[in-house]
């Protein structure tokens, strides 16, 4: 018993033409990521602000309005940045800072984990500590290694 219909050359439907989307749909395709971020965040923030302002105390509502205006100005400035004009050399300090941050946080969290284990679980031997908290160890070590890899990659970049 065959449930699929037979497709023959005579039963094939004609090619149909699809309706074209309105011109406003093409506008989103031309937005840069920063403009898209600005517009999306602005829509969400304004709706939230309109919902919260009536229920908040007047002083807090005024502060929230001021913060919203500052956010609008900041996001407008951010949207004016052309990402294609940012050179590789200009990104070097940011990449180094991110690598150092990853390595630093990995080391800091590892030290905090060891401090936690030695102060709150002194009954555990080092092997038991690793057995109980291996998942955290792995996360923190991987965070540090990721930072070191970023720093190593940055040092091996060719100079212009």
């Amino acid at each position: 018993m065959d449930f699929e219909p037979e497709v023959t050359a005579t039963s094939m439907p004609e090619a149909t033409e699809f309706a074209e989307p309105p011109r406003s749909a093409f506008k989103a395709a031309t937005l840069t990521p920063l403009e898209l971020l600005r517009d999306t965040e602005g829509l969400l923030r304004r709706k939230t602000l309109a919902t919260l302002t009536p229920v908040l105390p007047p002083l807090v509502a005024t502060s929230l309005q001021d913060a919203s205006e500052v956010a609008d100005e900041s996001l407008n400035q951010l949207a004016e940045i052309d990402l294609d004009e940012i050179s590789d050399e200009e990104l070097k300090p940011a990449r180094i800072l991110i690598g150092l941050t990853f390595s630093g946080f990995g080391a800091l969290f590892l030290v905090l984990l060891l401090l936690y284990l030695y102060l709150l679980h002194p009954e555990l031997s080092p092997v038991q500590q690793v057995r109980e908290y291996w998942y955290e160890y792995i996360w923190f070590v991987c965070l540090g290694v990721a930072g070191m890899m970023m720093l190593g990659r940055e040092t091996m970049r060719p100079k212009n």
Side-chain angles (χ1 to χ4, degrees), residues 32-35 78-87 90-91:
T32 65
L34 294 175
E35 290 171 341
L78 187 66
E80 292 173 2
I81 296 173
D82 186 13
L83 295 177
D84 295 331
E85 290 182 5
I86 299 174
S87 71
E90 291 173 325
L91 291 175

Side-chain angles (χ1 to χ4, degrees), residues 47-121:
K47 284 182 183 179
T48 305
L49 196 62
T51 304
L52 290 178
T53 303
V55 293
L56 291 174
L59 187 59
V60 176
T62 305
S63 297
L64 198 58
Q65 289 279 1
D66 294 342
S68 177
E69 291 171 8
V70 170
D72 270 334
E73 292 171 12
S74 299
L75 287 169
N76 283 334
Q77 290 175 356
L78 187 66
E80 292 173 2
I81 296 173
D82 186 13
L83 295 177
D84 295 331
E85 290 182 5
I86 299 174
S87 71
D88 195 42
E89 195 63 31
E90 291 173 325
L91 291 175
K92 185 174 184 170
R95 287 191 298 260
I96 290 173
L97 188 63
I98 295 297
L100 289 172
T101 302
F102 274 38
S103 298
F105 276 123
L108 176 68
F109 290 148
L110 202 54
V111 167
L112 289 176
L113 178 64
L114 290 173
L115 185 65
Y116 167 79
L117 290 173
Y118 283 118
L119 291 179
L120 298 178
H121 297 290

